[in-house]
Amino acid sequence: MMGQRLVSSLLSRCLYASHRILNPLTRQERKLGLATRISQRFSTLTAIEDPVTPPVEVKYTKLLINGQFVDAASGKTFPTLDPRTGEVIAHVAEGDSVDIDCAVKAARKAFDEGPWPKMTAYERSRILFKFADLIDEHNDELAALESWDNGKPFEQSAKEEVPLLSRTIRYYAGWADKIHGLIVPGDGAHHVQVLREPIGVAGQIIPWNFPLVMFAWKVGPALACGNTVVLKPAEQTPLTALYAAALLHEAGLPDGVLNVVSGFGPTAGSALAGHMEVDKIAFTGSTGAGKIIQELAAKSNLKSVTLELGGKSPFIVMDDANVDQAVELAHSALFHNQGQCCCAGSRTFVHERVYDEFVEKAKARALKRVVGDPFKQGVEQGPQIDEEQFSKILEYITSGIDSGATLVAGGGRAGNKGFYIQPTVFSDVKDEMTIAQEEIFGPVQTILKFKNLNEVIQRANASPYGLAAGVFTNNLNNANTLMRALRVGTVWINCYNLLDAAIPFGGYKMSGIGREKGMDSLNSYLQVKAVITPLENHAWL
């Protein structure tokens, strides 16, 4: 029961601590709540309008097992909610351990007996390329579903994320017929082959913040290598994974190769991670949930594990930087996707010589950020994913005020419906504050001051996380020093959030194990086998 509770609370979410309140409040203010008081003092936008009707129909709400959309064995469903209102979009089949077992058996049969791993690599690539074409044809439907279920701006979904889904699938389609082994010289009269084989059945658990992009990062390399897949989408955002899977079958994917089981952590996620017939598990989510996934994998069959986990990424602004450009880039690095990014630049370190100017301009930029219905043109920020995450973020804001940071913008709820939060900026943040240590996963920028290069390197690395970092400088020596000194998986210099399909992504320390994207991700879905054969009357060695 303890493990189930942990999985339930951690899987597919970043859940964090609660805090106390700094500024002395009257009893009436305590009754009203700190968020209301802050909202009245730091309002950054007008009330949220009535929601726009999404231009899409929900077509798929059942589990996809062995090529068929089916009800859960239990007959249960669960609601997926519109973050703009908290109202139900649709009821989705609630898979559990029984459904996971059925899906794994279908994937195992498809791998052991089916055509996918036996198909020529060229034929596999043709199916993946056709899938990418279908994604392009259905761009707006996928984007609308993504924004409806997740709350992110439609323009972001339609112009950035669905095209990235298509591009990533094409990238791995191109790799399918280029995965090969080696002939290596031995010390004796032997023919030595090194084969690279598909690992088998891959279990994959994707998060709610970028459902379609994570679908591509997981499914693309797994299928290109000839594996079969059981995918569990986050319970908050199951709709686009089901839609994309339907398109993949329309492209010609054989039955059983990709199975999608929607459900919850204790009943579906843990069953997948601990299944004895699953050869590999890949998970994106919180560090706490990643530890549970790794434990379940170890206690079952020691399956291979890839983990892409949390972060508290530094964004470093040197004193030679163009402040206006640095402010805009730092703003994007933190507030993109409502701040719900594992690699968000959530610790903004600014050199003391430009600190005051930076803070004032960061405040002004946050106050200009357009918050509203994600289907309305020009909106930069939609609602947070759900009430739980919404409440956690407000608790972090409370903690920041309590610990002595200066609230310079935002700080409360936006509007009176849905899960919208004002773009929030804190200055005078210290390393020991909770808001500087823990992953907030929301639109809260924390700005810290530093004096010199060595100091900021030490402070930036003083974190259990090591996913990414940003550096803004015109000094090549500073850039070279920082890119090597920062213990993170990705360093963006004078840019941020560039996540091309070919660029590997993953973290140091507690930010994960292994890499997503690029050719490095293929290794996670391949086994290496050495084959040695004696040679007689050999012509050469």
Side-chain angles (χ1 to χ4, degrees):
M1 289 298 293
M2 178 68 72
Q4 287 187 344
R5 291 193 188 101
L6 285 170
V7 174
S8 180
S9 64
L10 289 168
L11 203 58
S12 306
R13 286 182 169 89
C14 298
L15 306 179
Y16 305 101
S18 58
H19 315 285
R20 55 192 178 85
I21 301 173
L22 165 72
N23 293 342
L25 303 177
T26 67
R27 290 182 181 178
Q28 182 61 28
E29 284 175 324
R30 291 183 186 279
K31 289 181 181 179
L32 289 173
L34 181 66
T36 301
R37 184 173 67 94
I38 293 172
S39 180
Q40 292 168 350
R41 292 172 54 199
F42 294 93
S43 179
T44 61
L45 76 172
T46 58
I48 304 299
E49 299 176 358
D50 290 336
V52 175
T53 300
V56 68
E57 175 188 353
V58 177
K59 296 180 179 179
Y60 306 103
T61 59
K62 296 184 178 182
L63 312 180
L64 177 61
I65 298 177
N66 202 27
Q68 303 295 318
F69 282 101
V70 298
D71 292 322
S74 67
K76 292 181 179 180
T77 63
F78 66 93
T80 184
L81 305 180
D82 183 344
R84 301 174 303 164
T85 62
E87 297 172 356
V88 175
I89 298 173
H91 288 85
V92 180
E94 183 182 334
D96 58 22
S97 59
V98 174
D99 303 289
I100 289 291
D101 190 56
C102 291
V104 172
K105 286 178 179 177
R108 174 55 61 192
K109 184 175 181 180
F111 183 78
D112 291 343
E113 304 174 21
W116 188 250
K118 300 178 180 66
M119 191 181 293
T120 66
Y122 175 65
E123 287 300 317
R124 288 201 300 271
S125 74
R126 289 185 62 187
I127 290 173
L128 292 175
F129 276 123
K130 176 60 176 175
F131 175 41
D133 290 340
L134 289 170
I135 292 169
D136 292 342
E137 291 176 21
H138 295 268
N139 184 94
D140 288 354
E141 295 98 318
L142 285 164
L145 271 182
E146 190 85 330
S147 293
W148 193 7
D149 213 12
N150 172 276
K152 65 182 65 193
F154 174 75
E155 291 184 3
Q156 175 184 325
S157 296
K159 296 179 181 180
E160 298 176 20
E161 296 183 16
V162 179
L164 185 55
L165 164 67
S166 172
R167 175 67 183 94
T168 303
I169 295 300
R170 282 193 169 87
Y171 175 83
Y172 285 109
W175 264 111
D177 60 357
K178 300 170 186 65
I179 299 168
H180 54 77
L182 295 170
I183 303 297
V184 299
D187 287 341
H190 296 90
H191 176 71
V192 183
Q193 304 174 71
V194 179
L195 305 180
R196 296 166 68 81
E197 302 179 343
I199 200 167
V201 176
Q204 301 180 328
I205 301 173
I206 60 175
W208 48 257
N209 57 337
F210 293 98
L212 282 173
V213 174
M214 295 298 105
F215 181 99
W217 288 15
K218 297 288 191 296
V219 173
L223 295 188
C225 292
N227 299 284
T228 59
V229 172
V230 178
L231 178 82
K232 192 198 91 65
E235 60 266 29
Q236 298 91 340
T237 53
L239 298 179
T240 49
L242 293 167
Y243 196 111
L247 293 180
L248 186 44
H249 280 78
E250 184 180 337
L253 190 74
D255 292 348
V257 175
L258 172 63
N259 306 272
V260 181
V261 179
S262 49
F264 295 87
T267 50
S270 61
L272 185 58
H275 202 289
M276 293 296 292
E277 289 298 315
V278 172
D279 301 300
K280 189 261 183 325
I281 190 78
F283 170 79
T284 296
S286 73
T287 296
K291 291 180 178 180
I292 295 170
I293 295 294
Q294 190 167 25
E295 182 180 4
L296 290 167
K299 287 184 175 179
S300 52
N301 59 348
L302 278 176
K303 58 178 64 66
S304 171
V305 177
T306 299
L307 302 172
E308 195 266 283
L309 306 176
K312 193 67 177 175
S313 300
F315 185 98
I316 299 170
V317 180
M318 299 300 295
D319 59 343
D320 65 327
N322 180 304
V323 174
D324 290 333
Q325 293 176 0
V327 164
E328 186 60 35
L329 191 60
H331 180 88
S332 174
L334 185 282
F335 290 101
H336 180 69
N337 204 53
Q338 293 72 249
Q340 296 170 155
C341 299
C342 55
C343 59
S346 52
R347 288 184 295 156
T348 307
F349 288 96
V350 180
H351 195 282
E352 61 181 5
R353 292 178 187 167
V354 295
Y355 185 85
D356 291 341
E357 179 186 0
F358 185 97
V359 169
E360 284 303 309
K361 291 182 175 180
K363 171 185 176 180
R365 179 63 181 91
L367 292 173
K368 291 179 182 178
R369 186 168 183 82
V370 181
V371 181
D373 190 308
F375 288 99
K376 186 176 180 181
Q377 188 173 6
V379 166
E380 297 176 277
Q381 181 177 313
Q384 308 308 129
I385 185 65
D386 59 17
E387 185 175 9
E388 186 170 24
Q389 188 64 18
F390 171 84
S391 298
K392 291 290 181 182
I393 295 166
L394 292 179
E395 289 173 2
Y396 274 113
I397 292 171
T398 301
S399 170
I401 296 171
D402 180 45
S403 59
T406 301
L407 180 65
V408 299
R413 179 175 194 156
N416 54 16
K417 179 187 286 188
F419 310 124
Y420 296 89
I421 291 180
Q422 296 171 351
T424 298
V425 178
F426 281 104
S427 65
D428 303 315
V429 178
K430 308 301 180 186
D431 293 344
E432 64 273 13
M433 294 179 181
T434 300
I435 59 171
Q437 294 182 353
E438 298 182 8
E439 189 177 28
I440 298 172
F441 227 61
V444 181
Q445 185 177 34
T446 61
I447 309 178
L448 304 92
K449 184 185 296 184
F450 73 93
K451 295 181 179 180
N452 58 60
L453 190 63
N454 290 333
E455 175 198 326
V456 77
I457 290 171
Q458 186 276 324
R459 292 170 62 192
N461 284 333
S463 169
Y465 300 110
L467 189 55
V471 173
F472 205 91
T473 181
N474 291 318
N475 186 308
L476 183 60
N477 289 330
N478 286 339
N480 284 332
T481 297
L482 286 163
M483 66 183 281
R484 287 165 171 80
L486 294 171
R487 295 191 50 75
V488 297
T490 299
V491 179
W492 286 293
I493 298 175
N494 297 336
C495 60
Y496 209 86
N497 276 337
L498 294 180
L499 296 165
D500 294 359
I503 302 173
F505 185 79
Y508 288 26
K509 299 184 282 188
M510 290 175 65
S511 287
I513 299 171
R515 292 294 182 268
E516 306 268 23
K517 301 193 294 107
M519 61 184 297
D520 297 89
S521 67
L522 298 170
N523 295 328
S524 299
Y525 294 96
L526 293 167
Q527 290 278 25
V528 178
K529 177 186 289 183
V531 181
I532 303 97
T533 307
L535 291 174
E536 296 183 7
N537 301 320
H538 50 275
W540 53 269
L541 288 177

